[in-house]
Amino acid sequence: MILLEEILKKYPKEEEYLIEILLEYQTSKKNHHITSEDVSRISEYLGIPESQVCSVISFYTLLSTKPKGKYVIQVCQNIPCFVNDSQNIYDKIVELLGIHDGETTKDGLFTLELTECIGYCNQSPAIRINTDVYASLTPQKVEKIIDDLRGEKQ
Amino acid sequence: MIQQKLITKRFGKVNPTSLESYRNHDGYLGLEKALSMHPTKIIDEIETSKIRGRGGAGFPTHIKVRALSKQSGTKYIVCNADEGEPGNFKDRMIMENDPHAILEGMIILAYATGAEKGFIYIRGEYQNAIKLIKSTIKEAEDNHLLGKNILNKNFDFDIEVRSGAGSYVCGEEFALIESIEGKPGRSRVKPPFPTEKGIHELPTLINNVETFANFAHIILMGGDAFAQIGTASSTGTKLISLSGNVKNRGLYEVPFGTSIRDVIFKLGKGVKNNRPIKMVQLGGASGPLIPEYMLDMSIDFDRFENFDSKTGTGAIIVIDDRFDLFDVLLNNMHFFVGQSCGKCAPCREGHTQIVNLLMKFINHQATDKDLMSLENLANVIQQTSLCGLGQTSMTSIISSLRYFRDDYFMKVRY
């Protein structure tokens, strides 16, 4: 909770900062999610009902109450990526990690998600891993990226 | 020369993290000139320029600007950088390549309308742009371009960045306002319009990133000169996000009136492996699907309105003959099922039913009656949805029923 207090201190006690607080906190947490204790503390700080905090978390796709892996891999599935073989990229990740859309690897390292356009249609197929975008991908490049991330762990 | 560079003229030449570099490339000259003018005269220039919004709907900008200027008390200016429409990346490119141009446009508009506070609402996926815009604002504050007494004038204006959190519908203006207030992004009933009651019920003007980037040019060259670029109904240039199965995908800037074919074949160098084009989607997932024989159509707001399309975003997605119409439609409709905010029934329930109907066609189980149901339901969603999401999401279905009707007949069971 120390991390949350540090972040709360930076924001005025106004409900309009709810989304900013949630995003900053979740991004800085290792498993990228908001717990029920976090919800209580944030609602207390902003002076709004817990239900309001929950309604915001459940509305926005970047926010989650479910723990995720250290690396959240989001594969774009919209038309500009789709017509440039994004399915091959997704299939390669499934093959490498043994998980599907919405699942996390047992070691807690990777979560795989299908996502909507990430705005790199000029370099599709593209994926996002946490806050970084990887574009102009091939299955070979994806294998290298995942190997590199696994290496970082050791 | 098909391209005409106004918004992109500094791209690659200016250092996006340096105010000095921006100033060396005519940066903030538009603001300096604007501050020497009477605010009403600035709005007159915007009206003379005939500029229309670049975010999709193409609404005449001067009407909104004048409406805001007539309001009294606290008022807000918002830059809509929630670029979530699939196939678009132009706003990201402006933010990453020439961020001061957006601030300059916002400051000019704040001076013209008497707004004291601005927001830039950037989609949460654009982390690079968020960081860069935040540091650009800091640099502008340190150099008296934002804050109190801007450039020693009796004029104050601040800008704050707000991040989206993964919601396509927040590009819709009232959903965006709700999100800035820290709530789920669900639209409101209009009227009142944002320029009457927006953020915290106060007058609010919302423009797209590209629209803001145009203002300094309009002030510097004058509204008349700006109106000379493009066509009679659509003035200035348009940024085009070209993607899909083309050889040279990328961002191009062309005057309005340029044909779609020229963008694809002259700038994009044609289709990869020289395959035939099956269809082109204009604007993004909420735009029409058109066949190859319609590519000579020019990029122009009025031309697009002919098929109920709001194509001010300027995305062109080329799809070659390896892909089936229904692959594309199903992909688009899954997108809208996920992105509907759930507030109104036609959008919340309608998209799921459209997917069910499309699956019948894909599985060759559809009948003539299903074709009629699809057509009726698409029209109901388009005409009865509360906000722009449901009002435009059916464009690909409705346009394909017109231009690719044979593809449906091929799947119907007789």
Side-chain angles (χ1 to χ4, degrees):
Chain A
M1 291 302 254
I2 302 165
L3 178 64
L4 179 57
E5 295 303 324
E6 290 293 314
I7 288 167
L8 288 175
K9 265 196 307 206
K10 293 198 276 183
Y11 292 93
K13 291 185 174 183
E14 288 165 27
E15 67 174 276
E16 63 178 88
Y17 291 100
L18 174 60
I19 296 169
E20 295 289 320
I21 291 168
L22 291 169
L23 275 174
E24 183 175 345
Y25 180 52
Q26 187 183 276
T27 308
S28 50
K29 272 182 91 174
K30 205 169 60 193
N31 46 10
H32 310 288
H33 80 298
I34 313 278
T35 65
S36 54
E37 292 80 46
D38 298 333
V39 170
S40 303
R41 178 65 191 114
I42 293 167
S43 80
E44 180 193 35
Y45 181 81
L46 294 176
I48 54 175
E50 288 186 15
S51 60
Q52 197 175 330
V53 180
C54 292
S55 74
V56 164
I57 296 171
S58 63
F59 184 84
Y60 293 97
T61 58
L62 293 184
L63 297 170
S64 173
T65 52
K66 213 176 103 185
K68 294 188 184 181
K70 182 178 175 192
Y71 299 108
V72 181
I73 304 175
Q74 295 186 309
V75 182
C76 174
Q77 58 180 342
N78 293 146
I79 295 294
C81 279
F82 172 75
V83 299
N84 282 294
D85 305 321
S86 58
Q87 189 63 42
N88 293 345
I89 303 300
Y90 179 78
D91 291 346
K92 185 71 192 175
I93 299 172
V94 170
E95 179 198 319
L96 289 167
L97 301 179
I99 50 172
H100 290 87
D101 179 26
E103 296 175 352
T104 301
T105 52
K106 283 207 182 78
D107 60 3
L109 205 51
F110 296 100
T111 295
L112 176 59
E113 293 176 351
L114 282 167
T115 192
E116 311 303 348
C117 186
I118 50 179
Y120 279 75
C121 324
N122 51 334
Q123 300 168 60
S124 58
I127 64 173
R128 237 178 128 231
I129 302 181
N130 294 352
T131 55
D132 297 324
V133 173
Y134 299 80
S136 305
L137 292 175
T138 59
Q140 293 74 26
K141 283 187 193 170
V142 168
E143 189 159 9
K144 169 96 175 56
I145 292 165
I146 287 178
D147 277 350
D148 288 350
L149 292 176
R150 274 190 175 134
E152 263 180 37
K153 185 191 162 197
Q154 280 129 29
Chain B
M1 276 296 284
I2 306 172
Q3 289 211 71
Q4 180 168 0
K5 294 187 177 183
L6 206 61
I7 306 299
T8 56
K9 71 174 182 180
R10 280 185 283 257
F11 283 24
K13 295 184 183 134
V14 72
N15 172 359
T17 60
S18 161
L19 173 61
E20 193 190 345
S21 172
Y22 183 67
R23 281 206 155 117
N24 289 338
H25 289 86
D26 302 337
Y28 288 110
L29 290 184
L31 174 64
E32 282 174 26
K33 186 176 170 191
L35 293 182
S36 71
M37 294 159 67
H38 192 274
T40 331
K41 182 76 178 70
I42 296 172
I43 302 173
D44 290 344
E45 287 297 328
I46 293 170
E47 180 165 0
T48 310
S49 77
K50 297 201 280 183
I51 184 169
R52 294 167 67 169
R54 303 314 200 218
F59 190 77
T61 305
H62 71 91
I63 297 177
K64 291 201 279 190
V65 177
R66 210 178 289 281
L68 188 78
S69 73
K70 286 182 177 155
Q71 300 281 350
S72 53
T74 304
K75 35 193 165 178
Y76 300 107
I77 285 184
V78 178
C79 173
N80 184 348
D82 190 50
E83 185 175 52
E85 186 69 54
N88 287 278
F89 45 88
K90 68 183 181 75
D91 295 338
R92 174 175 67 80
M93 296 292 244
I94 300 174
M95 289 190 279
E96 291 178 354
N97 285 287
D98 202 10
H100 275 291
I102 303 162
L103 299 199
E104 185 173 3
M106 290 181 75
I107 302 166
I108 290 171
L109 226 56
Y111 175 72
T113 58
E116 57 193 51
K117 171 101 197 214
F119 292 98
I120 305 181
Y121 184 92
I122 309 173
R123 65 183 301 209
E125 290 84 347
Y126 284 178
Q127 284 298 317
N128 287 341
I130 290 173
K131 275 185 212 139
L132 191 54
I133 292 283
K134 280 184 174 168
S135 67
T136 306
I137 290 172
K138 178 80 175 55
E139 199 181 18
E141 285 168 348
D142 293 343
N143 289 278
H144 306 289
L145 292 157
L146 285 172
K148 300 259 175 242
N149 301 320
I150 291 169
L151 297 178
N152 298 319
K153 288 268 176 183
N154 183 21
F155 158 53
D156 308 336
F157 183 59
D158 288 298
I159 299 178
E160 201 178 310
V161 170
R162 285 296 165 85
S163 173
S167 168
Y168 166 80
V169 71
C170 287
E172 194 278 334
E173 51 187 9
F174 269 127
L176 187 151
I177 285 170
E178 291 279 319
S179 187
I180 286 181
E181 292 179 356
K183 299 174 194 154
R186 292 199 177 91
S187 191
R188 302 177 188 166
V189 177
K190 303 181 207 184
F193 292 97
T195 48
E196 298 156 280
K197 281 188 176 180
I199 299 170
H200 303 315
E201 303 281 296
L202 293 167
T204 304
L205 171 67
I206 304 174
N207 279 317
N208 172 259
V209 174
E210 186 184 348
T211 314
F212 276 114
N214 268 293
F215 292 130
H217 298 293
I218 292 172
I219 297 302
L220 276 178
M221 68 168 70
D224 273 322
F226 186 90
Q228 296 303 310
I229 308 170
T231 68
S233 71
S234 311
T235 58
T237 63
K238 186 73 202 76
L239 294 186
I240 303 293
S241 308
L242 181 62
S243 70
N245 304 124
V246 272
K247 284 178 190 152
N248 283 357
R249 296 173 291 174
L251 185 75
Y252 300 101
E253 184 172 8
V254 296
F256 275 102
T258 305
S259 79
I260 297 167
R261 189 181 300 281
D262 279 353
V263 172
I264 295 172
F265 287 91
K266 293 190 177 156
L267 298 171
K269 306 292 176 203
V271 182
K272 273 185 211 165
N273 304 317
N274 297 316
R275 296 194 76 97
I277 291 177
K278 165 74 185 178
M279 60 200 133
V280 171
Q281 190 160 25
L282 304 172
S286 67
L289 287 163
I290 61 166
E292 202 270 345
Y293 65 78
M294 287 180 75
L295 296 184
D296 291 313
M297 197 176 82
S298 58
I299 296 163
D300 181 302
F301 288 115
D302 285 359
R303 290 285 293 135
F304 284 117
E305 276 168 14
N306 286 344
F307 34 43
D308 292 329
S309 167
K310 297 182 172 173
T311 314
T313 53
I316 296 179
I317 308 166
V318 179
I319 302 161
D320 72 29
D321 67 335
R322 292 172 300 157
F323 297 94
D324 184 73
L325 171 70
F326 289 90
D327 291 341
V328 174
L329 291 176
L330 193 64
N331 189 303
N332 282 333
M333 293 307 128
H334 275 146
F335 175 75
F336 290 116
V337 168
Q339 299 306 315
S340 171
C341 84
K343 182 166 178 165
C344 71
C347 178
R348 182 185 62 239
E349 310 298 335
H351 289 113
T352 309
Q353 296 309 322
I354 290 276
V355 167
N356 291 344
L357 283 165
L358 286 178
M359 287 311 295
K360 280 183 139 180
F361 282 92
I362 289 165
N363 296 325
H364 295 273
Q365 289 166 344
T367 60
D368 260 354
K369 198 167 162 251
D370 292 315
L371 186 59
M372 274 168 59
S373 298
L374 183 76
E375 203 150 21
N376 286 338
L377 182 57
N379 283 308
V380 167
I381 295 172
Q382 187 190 49
Q383 286 162 25
T384 61
S385 290
L386 174 66
C387 85
L389 192 150
Q391 288 163 10
T392 59
S393 63
M394 288 300 117
T395 312
S396 60
I397 298 273
I398 293 170
S399 57
S400 67
L401 282 164
R402 198 180 308 171
Y403 305 118
F404 297 92
R405 211 167 175 91
D406 284 351
D407 292 56
Y408 287 90
F409 289 140
M410 303 266 279
K411 305 262 186 189
V412 168
R413 203 182 55 178
Y414 291 99

